Amino acid sequence: MTGASQRSAEIAIVAPGPFATVQDLGRPGLAHLGITRSGAADRHSLLLANRLVGNLTGAAAIEVTYGGLIVRFTHPGMIAVTGAPCPLELSGREIGMYAPVDVQAGALLRVGAPARGVRTYLGIRGGVDVPAVLGSRSRDTLAGIGPEPLVAGTRLPLGGEMSDPPTVDLAPHARYVDEPELRVLAGPRTDWFTADALRTLWAKAYEVTTDSDRVGVRLRGPAMRRRTTAELPSEAVVAGGIQIPPSGQPVIFLADHPVTGGYPVLGVVATEDLPLAAQCRPGQLLRFRPARRLVNGLPTR
Amino acid sequence: MRILPCGDEALLVEVANLQEVEDLYVRLRRDTPPGVTDLVPAARTVLVAFDPTTTGPARLRAQLHEVSPGPAGRGSRPTGAPAPGTPGRDTPASPPAAVTGGDGSRAAADAIVTAAEDAPSTVIIPVRYDGPDLVDLARLTGLTPAQIIRRHMRGPHRVAFCGFAPGFAYIAGLDAGLRVPRRDSPRTRVPAGAVAIADEFTGVYPRASPGGWHLIGRTDLTVFDLTRDPPALLAPGTPVRFVAVGAASVRT
């Protein structure tokens, strides 16, 4: 074992589950070059995982989609699992979510399937230290930039992106509800739609479809109708933007959204509610409601 | 100029045309209001993203109206972004080493990139004009392939904005006679380096991808490289010149 201890700490992916990537807070400030921000789809959960293990906010973690991740630790360390709640087993012993947990060298972590939500975050003290691409360790699934999605056998080195050891034992976490409400700010292209478009958006629940991914949550429900048949010149879009393609069925853009889009955006989901959108699973219903006003730039109910 | 709401962390500024977008973008890059985190130009808009803990939409709207492009400001084009195609702005490296391929091209490209962000130097794109859509385009435009090629090389061209894919630049300044809508059925795979046109733009596909533009040629120039800083050779505002190379170049 002396050989192993001389090597720097790393973890080995035994099984990635349906889909798992390395994510941090993404690469902001490059959109004018056609490069989207990317980063964790549910930023709240990434930040929480890092806080629980005493990492710097920009440390990279593993974003696990629908559970199924199995990881072996070569060195002692500390982890915290946040986001979509999954059964967790550490070397055969059940452990809890939203709490820092000490890990022994050789330990095996099994992340089961989540009962609710889509994305679970494995934060590890020190952060995942794969080479950064354009300042970020995030995988942009649309552009194919950043570390490859994890496969069985992937070894991930751990870094030193940490501060003081954590002092928190457990973070309270709101339960994921069956029919979440997302607050929406109207615009920028509300005037491209018929006058009743926003009323339609608020009126009924929308169902999340199976072709949802890190690029966007695709929905099925009452269609929004355009007032004009003109073609929208390409314009920049933002995460949370609710784009209405010709079908009238909305798409909520998530972290890996294209930098520009050619269909009008009816409204934008409040930044604070985007993590909720990222945790909606196919078949689930969600609702939109207007964000009333802005206080310090943030929408309130 | 219209300032449209775009969520709680951005405003979308809409102006009349591409030229006003470029003017506004240059001004905002030079005099960026405090708290602005990202500026993204497009065909008729500039997205202004901000940090809501530092600034707010009301303050930002007021600041944006101050930099609003208008007839009064037209004469004072910032010196940091000279009119595209101004004589003497071409890099000394032209005709570029890129024409010959090999290591020399990378060195030349790096030299161009270093200067691109602040005082953009012209990027020269060597093109083999042998694209599969030249014949279709001849039918659509009423021009011969040789005329299309000559008009495509006619400038001045400059990058209006990027989008679609990392490093994909919408290059403005396309000859009016070459403006045709994109293809009815997009190709599922356009090769990297394909030089194409659609509407009022021309562009170079940074890597293989689906695409609906008309393909008129190919270049060996690497327009997007993750190991380069900045990775995109063609940033908004960059002047561009297309030059014909190779056996299938212009027949005059």
Side-chain angles (χ1 to χ4, degrees):
Chain A
M1 288 308 286
T2 43
S5 62
Q6 279 163 4
R7 267 183 270 127
S8 59
E10 62 177 23
I11 61 172
I13 305 300
V14 178
F19 187 67
T21 55
V22 176
Q23 296 292 340
D24 56 18
L25 294 176
R27 38 186 80 82
L30 297 172
H32 66 292
L33 302 179
I35 300 161
T36 208
R37 174 162 183 166
S38 188
D42 172 355
R43 292 182 60 174
H44 279 187
S45 294
L46 171 76
L47 291 169
L48 179 61
N50 276 333
R51 211 155 54 231
L52 284 169
V53 297
N55 279 349
L56 302 179
T57 53
I62 298 177
E63 182 179 282
V64 186
T65 314
Y66 296 119
L69 179 77
I70 305 173
V71 180
R72 185 169 299 280
F73 295 82
T74 57
H75 287 64
M78 183 188 286
I79 61 168
V81 183
T82 62
C86 299
L88 302 174
E89 215 180 73
L90 186 64
S91 296
R93 191 168 50 89
E94 206 176 296
I95 61 165
M97 300 267 304
Y98 317 116
V101 176
D102 286 321
V103 172
Q104 308 303 316
L108 191 74
L109 173 73
R110 287 175 185 274
V111 179
R116 289 163 182 276
V118 176
R119 298 178 170 94
T120 302
Y121 293 82
L122 169 61
I124 307 154
R125 185 155 164 84
V128 174
D129 190 25
V130 294
V133 177
L134 304 178
S136 167
R137 299 182 172 92
S138 291
R139 175 65 176 184
D140 175 346
T141 57
L142 184 66
I145 293 176
E148 292 290 329
L150 306 186
V151 295
T154 302
R155 301 181 85 86
L156 299 173
L158 301 181
E161 297 217 28
M162 47 200 171
S163 48
D164 296 337
T167 53
V168 181
D169 289 335
L170 181 68
H173 193 271
R175 194 168 156 271
Y176 291 106
V177 298
D178 286 337
E179 204 173 299
E181 280 187 347
L182 307 178
R183 288 166 297 173
V184 173
L185 296 98
R189 295 298 178 186
T190 318
D191 57 356
W192 277 56
F193 296 90
T194 53
D196 61 351
L198 279 175
R199 280 200 302 278
T200 305
L201 190 69
W202 315 136
K204 291 222 167 64
Y206 283 84
E207 183 187 345
V208 177
T209 66
T210 49
D211 51 353
S212 299
D213 53 20
R214 282 180 45 85
V215 175
V217 181
R218 290 169 180 82
L219 301 173
R220 182 161 48 226
M224 258 64 70
R225 289 194 311 276
R226 289 261 291 269
R227 203 172 60 188
T228 164
T229 53
E231 204 173 317
L232 182 77
S234 288
E235 65 187 26
V237 296
V238 295
I242 304 171
Q243 190 188 56
I244 314 290
S247 67
Q249 300 292 313
V251 180
I252 308 169
F253 284 131
L254 294 184
D256 291 350
H257 67 85
V259 168
T260 55
Y263 301 123
V265 169
L266 175 64
V268 181
V269 173
T271 304
E272 205 167 310
D273 290 350
L274 258 186
L276 276 180
Q279 293 292 1
C280 289
R281 55 203 296 170
Q284 189 176 352
L285 298 177
L286 60 79
R287 279 180 179 274
F288 295 106
R289 58 178 290 174
R292 293 294 175 200
R293 61 201 171 91
L294 295 170
V295 174
N296 296 329
L298 296 171
T300 62
R301 292 201 186 258
Chain B
M1 182 172 96
R2 283 207 304 165
I3 301 177
L4 307 167
C6 191
D8 48 28
E9 293 187 351
L11 295 170
L12 188 68
V13 187
E14 184 180 46
V15 293
N17 53 48
L18 201 57
Q19 185 59 55
E20 286 192 17
V21 169
E22 295 184 50
D23 289 352
L24 179 63
Y25 178 69
V26 166
R27 285 158 193 253
L28 287 173
R29 280 290 293 236
R30 195 188 41 178
D31 285 320
T32 309
V36 168
T37 54
D38 223 345
L39 293 167
V40 193
R44 297 291 178 270
T45 55
V46 178
L47 182 85
V48 182
F50 60 89
D51 172 5
T53 64
T54 309
T55 188
R59 191 190 311 171
L60 207 47
R61 276 174 184 272
Q63 288 161 337
L64 288 169
H65 278 295
E66 278 170 30
V67 297
S68 148
R74 274 306 178 83
S76 57
R77 182 181 273 277
T79 50
T86 305
R89 293 293 304 178
D90 283 1
T91 56
S94 61
V99 175
T100 59
D103 292 332
S105 62
R106 172 58 62 80
D110 284 348
I112 293 164
V113 148
T114 312
E117 285 276 326
D118 295 314
S121 302
T122 300
V123 170
I124 291 163
I125 302 179
V127 183
R128 286 193 304 280
Y129 283 102
D130 56 1
D133 292 337
L134 277 174
V135 173
D136 264 3
L137 277 172
R139 186 174 50 78
L140 288 167
T141 60
L143 301 167
T144 66
Q147 285 170 323
I148 291 171
I149 292 163
R150 266 201 304 277
R151 289 196 183 208
H152 185 256
M153 286 192 293
R154 190 184 291 170
H157 295 284
R158 78 257 167 234
V159 177
F161 59 94
C162 294
F164 173 64
F168 186 95
Y170 290 75
I171 301 169
L174 185 68
D175 185 281
L178 299 183
R179 291 181 189 180
V180 291
R182 61 195 72 181
R183 286 163 51 87
D184 291 334
S185 54
R187 286 185 171 83
T188 53
R189 190 179 185 282
V190 171
V195 177
I197 62 176
D199 302 321
E200 56 185 318
F201 300 109
T202 179
V204 179
Y205 283 83
R207 57 172 191 183
S209 69
W213 290 23
H214 303 269
L215 310 186
I216 60 171
R218 293 172 287 156
T219 182
D220 290 332
L221 192 65
T222 303
V223 294
F224 188 76
D225 182 350
L226 284 169
T227 64
R228 223 163 36 194
D229 183 24
L233 195 57
L234 304 171
T238 307
V240 172
R241 201 149 64 82
F242 293 95
V243 292
V245 295
S249 67
V250 201
R251 294 184 299 270
T252 46

